[in-house]
Amino acid sequence: MQTDKIRVSSDGTGTALAMDEVERFCEYMGLDRKSALRMRLLAEEALGMVNAITGDFEADFWLEGERDKTCLLHLMAETRMNLAKKRELIDASSDKKNAAYKGFMGKILELMEEGLYAAEEEDVNAVNMPSMYLAMGAYDVEVAAAAANAYQWSLAKYRDGINAAKDSDKNAEEAWDELEKSIVANIADDVRVGVKGDAVELVIEKRLDTYIM
């Protein structure tokens, strides 16, 4: 099943409609109360990230899945926002950072925005990774190209990298703690950010036979 695509924006437009689609999706998929709650939480986190983006921003939101298998939550954004203005706003801030870049989902937000910059500039190397630890989740360009992406980042790959380094690296240990505190990182089986042509896509995957929390 695939739901209708709902246009959501940073001013909150479309959020209520998107959540209505989540409810219909959960009913169609026959999700129990706990699974439906998890899907709603994932959707709320993703839509909250959209609302945190500075300036005019729009994306398509939809869900798809197969019963008793996997649910996928999608956000697809094209390079329609004024990226030059966005960078000016960040550069003008006192600490040269967007205040929304906090916690795990803040880093995902930053990855999406950097992906939009790269898509606009048609240069995958324009993706500026927020930290070396998020770089652990980035696929090589050749691997991403095989998946029809110019660039791809995966929570599963990032989690493995952080887990391997956390016993010997204090920063990796802190990053692991950040993951443990994140609703999305705890519920989702994977989170992927990929650049495809002139668009960047966020996909949150939840397998219905796995429960992390």
Side-chain angles (χ1 to χ4, degrees), residues 87-126:
R87 277 187 162 155
E88 288 175 6
L89 289 170
I90 295 174
D91 290 340
S93 65
S94 59
D95 58 359
K96 304 298 182 183
K97 291 183 179 179
N98 187 320
Y101 297 161
K102 295 180 180 179
F104 173 70
M105 288 305 286
K107 290 183 173 66
I108 296 298
L109 167 60
E110 190 170 5
L111 274 173
M112 287 192 68
E113 292 186 339
E114 288 295 335
L116 287 169
Y117 296 142
E120 183 184 61
E121 296 170 10
E122 299 182 348
D123 179 10
V124 66
N125 295 317

Side-chain angles (χ1 to χ4, degrees), residues 6 8 10 16 40 47 53 58 60 62 65 79 85 89 96 100 105 150 155 162 173 182-183 195-197 210-211:
I6 305 298
V8 295
S10 53
R40 285 195 293 271
L47 294 169
I53 293 178
E58 292 185 341
D60 287 328
W62 75 96
T79 54
K85 182 177 181 181
L89 289 170
K96 304 298 182 183
M105 288 305 286
L155 168 62
I162 294 296
E173 181 181 359
S182 166
I183 292 174
V195 178
K196 296 182 178 181
T210 60
Y211 298 95

Side-chain angles (χ1 to χ4, degrees), residues 49-74:
M49 185 180 64
V50 170
N51 294 338
I53 293 178
T54 305
D56 298 329
F57 177 82
E58 292 185 341
D60 287 328
F61 171 94
W62 75 96
L63 302 101
E64 59 182 279
E66 298 179 55
R67 293 194 181 201
D68 302 322
K69 292 185 179 180
T70 302
C71 296
L72 300 174
L73 183 156
H74 296 261

Side-chain angles (χ1 to χ4, degrees), residues 105-179:
M105 288 305 286
K107 290 183 173 66
I108 296 298
L109 167 60
E110 190 170 5
L111 274 173
M112 287 192 68
E113 292 186 339
E114 288 295 335
L116 287 169
Y117 296 142
E120 183 184 61
E121 296 170 10
E122 299 182 348
D123 179 10
V124 66
N125 295 317
V127 176
N128 179 27
M129 297 301 294
S131 73
M132 64 175 290
Y133 298 104
L134 269 185
M136 288 181 179
Y139 284 87
D140 293 335
V141 174
E142 292 79 6
V143 175
N149 290 310
Y151 170 85
Q152 184 165 300
W153 181 93
S154 165
L155 168 62
K157 190 171 184 292
Y158 174 63
R159 185 186 279 131
D160 288 344
I162 294 296
N163 188 36
K166 66 183 175 69
D167 292 334
S168 59
D169 189 308
K170 182 178 180 181
N171 289 324
E173 181 181 359
E174 292 175 355
W176 183 261
D177 290 340
E178 184 177 75
L179 282 181

